[in-house]
Amino acid sequence: METHFSKEQLKNKDNKSSEKIFRKCVHCGFCNATCPTYQLLGDELDGPRGRIYLIKDMLENNKPANEKIVKHIDRCLSCYSCMTTCPSGVNYMHLIDHGRKHIEKTFKRPLSDRLIRNFLSKTLSKSINFRIVAILTTFLKPFSFFFPKKLRNMINLMPIKFPKKTLSQMKVYEADKKKKPVARVALLTGCVQKVLAPQINEASIRLLNRHNIEVVVLKEIDCCGSLNHHLGKMDLANETFKKNISIWYDEYLNNGLDAIISNTSGCGTTLKDYGFIFRTDDDFKKKAKKISELTKDISEYLDGNVKLNFIKNKENNKSYKIAYHSACSMQHGQKIHNVPINLIKKTGNEVFNIPDGHLCCGSAGTYNLLQTDIAKKLLKNKISNIEKIKPQFITTGNIGCITQIANGTKIPILHTVEIIDWYTGGPKPKILKKL
Ligand code: SF4
Ligand code: SF4
């Protein structure tokens, strides 16, 4: 794609990077074929190629965003299915991030939108705020029909009960005290995840400890920053990024870390991008690069670094039919697909890919809260494809997808790490007790 940025414009680091990406695009439109919003809406501007043109036009011509551009950019899920399809290696993720940042700077959203986005930014990225809102929401559920559509949807998405924590909060979860640990890792426990599903972090810690790996949970680290990043609120996101980078880097230097483990693929994708985000920041680029290099999805870490000790017992001696939902941030963002499937296969169960598995379930961070109608259509399609497999349960590696899919089906869904924990000596996940 030809570009016409001036020398002055290219002095801006974001323009410089985006210009290189625009030049890679050859307008072929292959990406449209696998874009969920293009498939549903059939509008060129609701596909990646159209969005690339919109972003390029704003940046190259120093144009402020307008309502039309914002509508089409907001409809993008950031699922990155287009990146997997693109034969030219266009990094759409960095373009849409730049586009969102430009929108936030140049466009004033209607008051109701600003209120909702600010509310999401303040509640979802801080676990304490989220916990308070989550509890309040349970009381509002019976009256949800009084609320405007977006708020009603937020209330309905919240579960009725929140699982209790079974592990006490510690900084260091030691492995076998009699043995020297084989590795020391930090675990990102996540802002939303630790409220909605503490059992995922607990399964991760138990599993790693059982394999003689010490786990560090630094309580100052709450959110990875991706919620604000995807809302275009770059100042808030950068504040979180810098805090996380400094804390983990200090731990790495002072006490040693072999990896930073993410068990939420959406967060892992952002952590792996810290290096790019701070590429020109003299104070942070070295540290950010190190944090990105250390980051591993838990499935990736288990596969590459841990000799898993699978155990058969009376709780896990049946063979189950499991549908594997490949979260977009996992398969398109981090390019991890077969690794979790192969890990589950080692438990002796049957694992099936979901038809049209490259398409998003509609969760996509705050998307199911902000773009309710499209998210519901995507969920409906996902559930119908899952039901074709007739699985006994579903598994995935991202809390957002777990919440979204659980909202559309009665088939139990659990995190992949809960299965691996269970088959290596951990408890049977509560959600499967009846199976
Ligand atoms: S990120 Fe997903 S929704 Fe957005 S343009 Fe790419 S494929 Fe379409
Ligand atoms: S597939 Fe890649 S090169 Fe082709 S239009 Fe889409 S982004 Fe551009």
Side-chain angles (χ1 to χ4, degrees), residues 75-140:
R75 282 180 179 167
C76 171
L77 292 139
S78 281
C79 68
Y80 314 134
S81 174
C82 48
M83 281 172 49
T84 301
T85 311
C86 175
S88 308
V90 170
N91 192 319
Y92 177 86
M93 175 169 87
H94 291 153
L95 289 184
I96 193 83
D97 286 347
H98 190 181
R100 291 199 171 114
K101 193 169 160 183
H102 185 80
I103 288 174
E104 199 61 18
K105 265 202 226 149
T106 62
F107 183 72
K108 192 164 183 192
R109 290 175 183 273
L111 180 66
S112 60
D113 271 24
R114 273 182 281 146
L115 287 175
I116 289 185
R117 294 170 80 90
N118 287 339
F119 172 76
L120 293 175
S121 154
K122 297 257 171 339
T123 51
L124 295 182
S125 62
K126 291 233 176 331
S127 56
I128 178 73
N129 296 354
F130 181 61
R131 197 179 291 278
I132 295 167
V133 170
I135 293 167
L136 288 176
T137 312
T138 56
F139 296 108
L140 293 177

Side-chain angles (χ1 to χ4, degrees), residues 48-67:
R49 184 172 58 181
R51 290 184 180 120
I52 290 173
Y53 277 108
L54 291 177
I55 298 168
K56 179 174 175 282
D57 184 39
M58 284 193 295
L59 299 178
E60 212 172 45
N61 298 311
N62 290 329
K63 259 193 186 163
N66 58 35
E67 237 171 83

Side-chain angles (χ1 to χ4, degrees), residues 39-51:
Q39 282 191 7
L40 281 182
L41 304 163
D43 184 332
E44 172 72 18
L45 295 180
D46 284 317
R49 184 172 58 181
R51 290 184 180 120

